[in-house]
Amino acid sequence: MSLRNESYLVGLIGDGITASLTPPMHEAEATHHGLHYLYRPIDLHALELHGDSLPALLDAAHLLGFNAFNITHPCKQSVLDYLDTISPEAVALGAVNTVLINTDGTRHGENTDYSGFLTGMKWGLPKVTAASGHLHTVVQLGSGGAGSATAYALLKAGVRVLHLVDPDAAKATEKALDLQALFPQAQVIATAPQQLANVLPQAQGLVNASPIGMHVHPGAPLDLSLLHANLWVADVIYLPQETPLIVAARQLGCHVLPGGYMAVGQAVDALALIADITPNAHRMREHFATLVGSPIENAI
């Protein structure tokens, strides 16, 4: 019998995540460190559950001996209401993607999405820096859980003007006001989707932080004819790696950042928090490339 303090039982809660590559990444790297580590997806769509089942799942987790959860769409923001403590970064973001369950059942929330995205940019877009001038104006699609993290990361990296584009105007406005208060030196603007044709020509970067493009939400998050060759383009989606957005941007000659970069970056940071180890980031990147069936230089 393996007791809670002798092994790790971890879950991923989200919609349409049965094919997630985070579980195998965690398990393989934990094995390299000699840990007993089991990671199970809890797919709300497959189980015919909704986001409102989250509190019941978290209550059951402690009883069943779970050590931690990763949280993804659509629960990254709603989970904050069911945590006992939250890291300052997650509070600022208004989103949590990692929940640590203490032995007494209390829950602590962290966010490794923003740090994972920053790491991914350093790996995949090393020339996109504030000093290079490629971060002055960025357009971001989506202002939900993933969007909160990428927007926070972009502003920390030095973006001067950030357009948040979301079909839910109230959500975009609220997020823009929150981020503006955190980064008064920048300009954070809630921008209607109809205005993309006006703002994209002046932008150096485009980030898709919406779920459009996922295997369960296929398609492109904007009119692809609006792309231009002077953009760098990032996507948070990694299943598939070659989303319609990334394919179209690559064909135009844009520098692109597929979602695998952020996926590995956040997995490295989350595993470090859960198991209190220092994961080998290069080894995890190579493992991810194996999982998606592409050489490391093409995969991420």
Side-chain angles (χ1 to χ4, degrees), residues 50-225:
H50 301 285
D52 57 10
S53 64
L54 180 63
L57 290 173
L58 292 174
D59 286 341
H62 173 57
L63 297 175
L64 294 173
F66 275 80
N67 299 81
F69 281 101
N70 280 137
I71 308 291
T72 189
H73 176 78
C75 300
K76 289 183 180 182
Q77 293 167 310
S78 61
V79 72
L80 273 75
D81 293 333
Y82 310 108
L83 303 176
D84 299 285
T85 57
I86 308 171
S87 72
E89 293 80 9
V91 170
L93 288 165
V96 160
N97 80 322
T98 304
V99 174
L100 307 178
I101 302 174
N102 301 312
T103 53
D104 63 358
T106 57
R107 307 165 191 144
H108 175 72
E110 295 273 356
N111 190 300
T112 67
D113 280 334
Y114 90 91
S115 59
F117 186 72
L118 283 175
T119 298
M121 287 190 68
K122 291 175 184 176
W123 288 341
L125 295 172
K127 295 182 180 179
V128 176
T129 64
S132 72
H134 296 304
L135 281 177
H136 185 276
T137 302
V138 176
V139 174
Q140 176 175 296
L141 309 175
S143 57
S148 296
T150 52
Y152 186 86
L154 289 166
L155 291 163
K156 280 188 73 72
V159 167
R160 306 303 299 176
V161 179
L162 179 62
H163 291 275
L164 294 182
V165 181
D166 197 296
D168 187 334
K171 184 199 291 187
T173 299
E174 181 180 4
K175 181 54 60 179
L177 290 172
D178 290 344
L179 289 168
Q180 186 67 77
L182 292 171
F183 297 93
Q185 77 282 3
Q187 193 176 4
V188 187
I189 306 166
T191 302
Q194 300 91 320
Q195 295 300 312
L196 276 170
N198 297 325
V199 298
L200 266 178
Q202 285 76 47
Q204 291 82 48
L206 171 68
V207 177
N208 177 37
S210 82
I212 306 302
M214 290 175 65
H215 60 294
V216 292
H217 300 288
L222 80 167
D223 179 353
L224 295 175
S225 69

Side-chain angles (χ1 to χ4, degrees), residues 29 33 267-273 276-284:
E29 182 60 20
H33 290 261
V268 169
D269 291 349
L271 179 57
L273 287 169
D276 193 24
I277 59 173
T278 301
N280 184 315
H282 180 72
R283 184 165 57 208
M284 291 183 71

